[in-house]
Every structure is written in structure tokens, then in C-alpha cells.
Amino acid sequence: MNKPVLRPLAFVVIAASPIVAVVVACGSSSSGDDSSIVNVDGSADGTLLGRDGSSADASVADGQVDKTPPCDNGLAVMSDAVSFAKTIGICSNATTDGFGLVSAFFSKGFDQLDAAADAHFDAATYVIPSGLTVQAGLLPKFGDVIKPREGNLLGLLSTGYAREFDGTDGGEQTFMGGPALDGVDYPTGHAPPGFPKASEGCPTNGDANDMIDVKLTLKAPADAHGFQFDYDFYASDWPDYVCTQFNDSFIAYVNSTTVHGDNVAFDAKNQPITVNIPFIDHCTIDAGVGCAGGEVPLDAGVFNSHCEAGTAELSGTGYGVTAPTACKKSTVSSRGASTGWLTTTVPISPGETFTLELMIWDNGDAYLDSSALVDNFQWISSAPPIVTTRAK
């Protein structure tokens, strides 16, 4: 069973050969080998705590969370994974600073080297360069309300196009019109073992499609015992497909001395970030939910209870278009919802090298896209719990 698809109104996706996003140091050029992972390079000058290689003194830190100047000024919207790392606040590199980014690359799944979907819009005013994934973007804002949590840009990962409005026609597109970027020979992506994972009381489907994974290999500072980062998940599965097999997911997969290969982005019940969790509260109050999946009768008076934040942060994103839901007793609703900014903290061992993989995928089919904003990565000087909370 496929989710209903709204025909895109003003763009055509032209298939192209996938290309691995090769990462290079700022100012360097690609090695020319599209299948390789190029480490950040430079001369070593000691181990320091700070995004920019400076010491974490009173001018750049608050004693608990490292806050140093951003490094994302002037980066292009379509860029490589090293630039994505800079955008979210990872400004040091392990070779020149003794800690920070070791390597970074985009792929279409866990433990994969094949690139995420590459395509371009058929529009004279906005053509995405060939060879760079459309599923990642570096944006100065997302919609009319959301701004970066640090620096000038925020990172965006999407199962569709990593832009506002999913297209180029001045706002007529929504993420409900997103095409199957990788085709419909499911699964097209590769999730980690045990994923996709069902939410409590809800079905799931084992297919992860239209997936993008940014894998960051990092070396912790010698005096860091943890890290944290912020993210904001948007899904057009809401409200019709709440608690169905078509619930797209965002996870943050860590492999370190403290987290031995597992997701660290979850709610109080250890449920991954989907439309089924209480963090989803940016949506239309009293909208009928779940009726398109067949689990809830069309005439049921079922209402979502997690929309206290309203729809303001959906404005201008492509996730805030209003239309009737599948539930007959429902009023019009936003065709999408979000969590708002969340913060996840993770413990690490000082000086260790570990991986952080940020992944998002369509679950069950490849329609009705989802997006995740990521920003404000910070090193933490004392060991935190693995927990996700509302961002402050």
C-alpha cells in the first residue's frame, strides 16, 4: 500500500548517476576518486578545546558547554559533508587542532558508500549542480520563523529536497508532493540493524527508502566528556498516517566507547523521532489523525493531543499547508507537523575517536517526505546522560 501522492506542480526530477560526496579540507579540491573518503588534512599544532582551535577560556566557554565562534560564513547551499559539519558547529579538525572532525561523507544508508540521490530541478532560475546530493542543504533559515541555533546557517537533511517548499515555484509545492528519488524498488536505503523501529502500539515496515546518512568521524577533545546537538524534525506523514507503517524516522547513530552502535535521539520511551511521539507538538490542534492508514475508522473522533505549540513554526517550510484530513470528523489541518528544536546529549571518553551518523528515511514507501534540521553541536566538559529534551 502506497501513501497517496500529490502530483508535483512545477518541477521535473531528472535522474542522474549517483556520486559519492567526497569530503575535503576547507580550500582543498576533490581527489577525483568518487568512491573514496578523504580525511580532513593539515599540520598538527596540539590538542585544544574550541571549535576554532582556540582554548576554551572565559571568552569562549561557559565552563560546561563549549561555545566558540561559528565557522559557517559564506558556505554554499549545495556543498560537501565537511561543510555540513561546519554548518552544525564542528569547526575544528583532528589533524590541525588535535580534536574535531576526522572525516565526513554523505551516503544513502548505514555502512554504505553509494551516494544519496542526485538530481536537479528543471527550472531556469534554480538548477542544482550535478554531482551534489539534493537531500542535504545549508540554509540561512527554514520557513518564516526558524533560524540557525548558532552561526549563520543550519544543516538540513531530507527524504526529498533539502530546501523550503520542496521545489522552486514560489511556495506552491509542499513535501506531500515529493517524488521517489531513488525509485520504488524498495528498500532503496539501508538502515542500521534493528531499524526501522516501531513506536509503542504502532505497526512499522522494514523498508527504509529515499535515505540520506551523513557520517561524521570525530575525535573528542582531551577534556571533553560529552557532546550535544540540536535538531528539529518535520514530517508530512502527519496527520493522516500517524501510528501507521508509513512513519518516517530520524535517528542519530553513535558508535563509541560509551555507545556501542545505537540511536541516541529518542523520546522518554526510547522511541525514535517520528510522528508518533509526544515531541510532535507543532501541528493543528484537534485534527483527526491516523485515518488514512486503516487502523482508525474514517468516522472516528480521534484527535491528536500534542499540538500545544500550534502551527507558527511550520509557516513557509512546506509542512504547513492546510487541507482536510482523511478523518471524516476532522476539520482542516496542517499537512505536516514538527517537533520544534530538541537537544540530545551523549557521553564520550576524553580524546576518543567515534562516529556520529545522522540519518533520515521514508518508511514503507518513498512518498510524503520528512526533513530534519541540525545545528549547534557543542563539546561538554562533564559526562551527561543520553537524553533528549526541549532545546533551551
Side-chain angles (χ1 to χ4, degrees), residues 133-300:
T133 176
V134 299
Q135 291 185 254
L138 316 181
L139 304 183
K141 65 182 184 69
F142 191 61
D144 301 329
V145 176
I146 297 297
K147 302 296 190 295
R149 297 281 291 169
E150 63 83 33
N152 305 290
L153 301 171
L154 49 79
L156 177 59
L157 303 174
S158 181
T159 63
Y161 293 106
R163 302 292 183 274
E164 298 168 336
F165 287 112
D166 203 10
T168 60
D169 55 0
E172 295 301 320
Q173 299 282 5
T174 75
F175 287 93
M176 291 191 69
L181 292 178
D182 290 328
V184 294
D185 186 15
Y186 304 145
T188 63
H190 188 256
F195 294 90
K197 182 180 293 185
S199 300
E200 184 179 54
C202 300
T204 192
N205 180 291
D207 292 345
N209 305 308
D210 280 358
M211 184 173 178
I212 183 169
D213 174 0
V214 55
K215 183 174 183 178
L216 306 173
T217 300
L218 301 165
K219 183 177 181 181
D223 52 356
H225 291 262
F227 67 91
Q228 68 180 47
F229 61 98
D230 298 343
Y231 53 95
D232 188 355
F233 175 74
Y234 289 74
S236 57
D237 293 317
W238 199 94
D240 286 347
Y241 292 92
V242 171
C243 203
T244 74
Q245 64 174 315
F246 300 116
N247 292 161
D248 304 342
S249 299
F250 169 77
I251 68 171
Y253 196 85
V254 173
N255 199 339
S256 69
T257 59
T258 56
V259 182
H260 306 295
D262 206 353
N263 175 41
V264 296
F266 47 73
D267 69 0
K269 294 183 178 180
N270 198 32
Q271 300 178 125
I273 306 301
T274 71
V275 297
N276 301 324
I277 62 175
F279 282 129
I280 294 286
D281 68 348
H282 292 262
C283 44
T284 302
I285 297 174
D286 286 346
V289 299
C291 292
E295 287 78 12
V296 177
L298 292 177
D299 60 352

Side-chain angles (χ1 to χ4, degrees), residues 319-355:
Y319 289 97
V321 176
T322 56
T325 72
C327 291
K328 291 181 179 179
K329 289 188 177 181
S330 175
T331 60
V332 295
S333 167
S334 61
R335 306 302 296 168
S338 76
T339 59
W341 284 109
L342 306 174
T343 299
T344 288
T345 59
V346 185
I348 52 173
S349 298
E352 75 163 303
T353 297
F354 65 97
T355 58

Side-chain angles (χ1 to χ4, degrees), residues 98-137:
F99 73 98
L101 189 66
V102 175
S103 66
F105 67 96
F106 294 121
S107 76
K108 64 171 59 177
F110 177 73
D111 204 24
Q112 304 291 298
L113 286 178
D114 48 344
D118 172 39
H120 66 81
F121 296 119
D122 186 21
T125 58
Y126 196 101
V127 178
I128 294 176
S130 176
L132 293 172
T133 176
V134 299
Q135 291 185 254

